[in-house]
Amino acid sequence: MKLSLVLPTGLALAAAAVFTGGNTTEGYALLGHSLDLNQRDFRVFNGFTNTGANNNTTPHPEFPGATGAVMAIWKGAIEWGSRLHGTGSGDTTQSGGLGSGGANFDPSFQGEANVVGNIGDNICSNISGNSGGVLAYVESTGSGNWRMRFYTGWNWADGPGSIGFSQMDIQSVACHEYGHSLGLGHSGTGAATMAPSTSNGQTGPRSIHSDDIAGVQAIYGAASASKPIITSISSINIGSITINGSNFAATNEVWFTREDFQGNGTPLKVLNVPSTNGGTEITVNVPSNARGGDILVRKTGLNGGNALSNAWPFDVTTTQCPSNEIVCTNLPNSTGVPGTLSVFGSQNIAMNDTILAAGSLPAGEFGIFIYGQGDQLLFVSDGFLCINGSQFYRLDVVQVDMFGQVAYALDLNDLPPGGEISAGETWNFQLWHRDTPAGSGHANFSNAVSHTWCE
Ligand SMILES: [Zn+2]
């Protein structure tokens, strides 16, 4: 069964000339509009109702924070990007990798929306029914404002690999429809993504054809030699990243993906960010309301598509210091429950504000906080020593108060030899304490908790 990929309303004539009327002309067709830099955003309102549309629950490092139909649509749009999206991986059905346009054109994924939005909000959403063979459509004013609708009446599949014969591929249809959004009509080249129809089970349109590439380059121009390029993103500090690449301007905008359901699709921008090392490096603080998504760099003050870089995947969790974790839970002490341990502080090593706090302990007993990097489960006295016995370090003697609690300010500048702590390191902490109420000579331990310091 052939199914139509419908035309943008308001632009039906331009595209219909290719689609119908026995036109034998090969090649792409232009709708006559283009997306300027403030319309490069797209969002997804995931209202697909069939199971196959959202059963890909496996995260992919190149599409951080997205699964299911959201990831599939992100892949469909990003295929039009100027160069490979990260490594280009994420689609095993195409050999060339995702990001094939080679034009002065790059989309900016802006997360999830929870509204259909108006034309111009650039949201991909769903609509009930199947409209007599129509899979999806783009509504556009013809001036570069758009929104995309997928009919839920089809047996949609989110991939990520091949799909069943009875299924319709979200990624392929998204790639086609986004082609309309950016200004392409239907192509007379049958193998093109912008060909007017597709079939169940097909994934070929996920990968744009040389004819589609010629089309996007006809609208936006082949990628300029001066266009900024991102080639990697690295992070060693809490909350900041270094963007590596080329052609960055003296001052730049760095575009992040905004948190889901926030804003109007406008990328989350950090303004006036300088580059260093001859325009090859940018260091920027990550805004607190950024989510995993894509980063793009725009040369400040320039408007053409050649002023905006390719989109590079960015996992916001890589800029966050790992959270504390309970390494082991101990046996009850004489209070009837296990001793607890919490590690407080900013995790910023320069702040030197780490506090070790233990509770649920026998009042008045003496103890020692210990720490190390290995872990084990060694029964000692009445509980478990959870820190590797051959490599742990002891802090000062403390005394449990009348409430069964004890706290200790860890001074990173005054640690035992061999137990020095550096940024990027994770250490495990535990309290050993005497437990006289349990019997003469008895002792026990609190839970053990890990804590990581960063710069
Ligand atoms: Zn179409």
Side-chain angles (χ1 to χ4, degrees):
M1 178 173 52
K2 285 278 188 179
L3 297 160
S4 167
L5 296 153
V6 102
L7 330 165
T9 50
L11 297 163
L13 283 177
V18 177
F19 183 25
T20 61
N23 192 325
T24 56
T25 306
E26 296 260 317
Y28 62 84
L30 307 182
L31 296 176
H33 76 263
S34 62
L35 301 181
D36 62 27
L37 286 194
N38 62 23
Q39 294 290 356
R40 297 295 172 86
D41 58 283
F42 68 98
R43 288 178 287 165
V44 181
F45 178 16
N46 184 1
F48 287 92
T49 51
N50 66 301
T51 306
N54 279 296
N55 64 0
N56 173 27
T57 57
T58 306
H60 191 286
E62 305 250 315
F63 299 91
T67 54
V70 177
M71 188 196 290
I73 291 173
W74 186 354
K75 289 175 182 176
I78 210 70
E79 166 67 351
W80 292 96
S82 64
R83 39 192 305 128
L84 289 183
H85 177 251
T87 63
S89 65
D91 185 357
T92 55
T93 67
Q94 59 167 292
S95 57
L98 291 166
S100 310
N104 289 314
F105 179 82
D106 288 281
S108 169
F109 173 64
Q110 283 300 318
E112 292 192 58
N114 51 13
V115 292
V116 171
N118 297 313
I119 296 172
D121 287 337
N122 306 354
I123 295 172
C124 309
S125 67
N126 300 86
I127 187 167
S128 62
N130 60 16
S131 192
V134 177
L135 296 165
Y137 60 97
V138 167
E139 296 172 283
S140 170
T141 63
S143 59
N145 297 313
W146 62 275
R147 69 178 181 184
M148 189 186 298
R149 310 299 302 275
F150 291 77
Y151 283 104
T152 53
W154 302 99
N155 184 21
W156 293 104
D158 59 2
S162 57
I163 63 171
F165 292 119
S166 66
Q167 293 184 306
M168 190 56 67
D169 188 38
I170 295 171
Q171 184 180 336
S172 291
V173 174
C175 191
H176 174 99
E177 297 300 333
Y178 194 69
H180 287 318
S181 301
L182 65 82
L184 287 173
H186 284 153
S187 173
T189 300
T193 292
M194 294 314 294
S197 63
T198 188
S199 309
N200 287 323
Q202 294 292 318
T203 57
R206 293 177 182 178
S207 185
I208 60 175
H209 183 274
S210 56
D211 176 62
D212 302 306
I213 294 170
V216 69
Q217 293 187 0
I219 301 171
Y220 297 95
S224 164
S226 64
K227 185 174 163 64
I229 295 172
I230 300 175
T231 55
S232 68
I233 292 175
S234 56
S235 176
I236 55 166
N237 301 329
I238 301 175
S240 88
I241 53 168
T242 299
I243 304 167
N244 303 295
S246 58
N247 289 341
F248 301 140
T251 57
N252 305 271
E253 295 177 359
V254 180
W255 294 9
F256 291 85
T257 299
R258 192 181 295 273
E259 277 182 355
D260 292 333
F261 318 128
Q262 305 290 319
N264 61 3
T266 301
L268 181 59
K269 299 176 181 177
V270 180
L271 306 178
N272 300 316
V273 184
S275 68
T276 56
N277 288 344
T280 63
E281 197 173 288
I282 290 173
T283 297
V284 62
N285 290 325
V286 179
S288 60
N289 51 343
R291 56 152 276 171
D294 280 328
I295 283 180
L296 298 90
V297 172
R298 177 193 179 181
K299 293 177 172 180
T300 299
L302 297 180
N303 281 314
N306 60 352
L308 183 65
S309 77
N310 55 315
W312 193 270
F314 168 60
D315 184 352
V316 72
T317 63
T318 61
T319 69
Q320 295 164 346
C321 220
S323 301
N324 294 350
E325 289 183 14
I326 295 176
V327 176
C328 81
T329 303
N330 229 307
L331 299 176
N333 57 44
S334 63
T335 71
V337 295
T340 59
L341 178 66
S342 299
V343 185
F344 298 106
S346 66
Q347 292 183 274
N348 182 334
I349 196 160
M351 299 293 287
N352 191 18
D353 61 356
T354 308
I355 302 289
L356 310 175
S360 300
L361 304 167
E365 296 293 298
F366 289 97
I368 297 175
F369 285 102
I370 59 176
Y371 69 105
Q373 287 181 302
D375 58 75
Q376 63 177 357
L377 209 58
L378 181 66
F379 188 71
V380 177
S381 197
D382 293 341
F384 292 114
L385 171 62
C386 306
I387 297 170
N388 189 321
S390 64
Q391 293 179 12
F392 70 76
Y393 302 92
R394 302 155 190 257
L395 298 165
D396 301 325
V397 175
V398 294
Q399 187 174 17
V400 179
D401 69 14
M402 62 186 292
F403 304 106
Q405 299 174 338
V406 61
Y408 181 82
L410 186 71
D411 184 355
L412 298 174
N413 299 317
D414 187 22
L415 294 172
E420 294 85 359
I421 292 173
S422 301
E425 292 179 350
T426 300
W427 292 79
N428 303 325
F429 290 83
Q430 194 171 20
L431 178 73
W432 170 88
H433 62 88
R434 295 197 181 281
D435 196 357
T436 309
S440 177
H442 283 243
N444 209 323
F445 298 85
S446 71
N447 297 340
V449 174
S450 72
H451 187 79
T452 304
W453 282 264
C454 298
E455 289 180 341

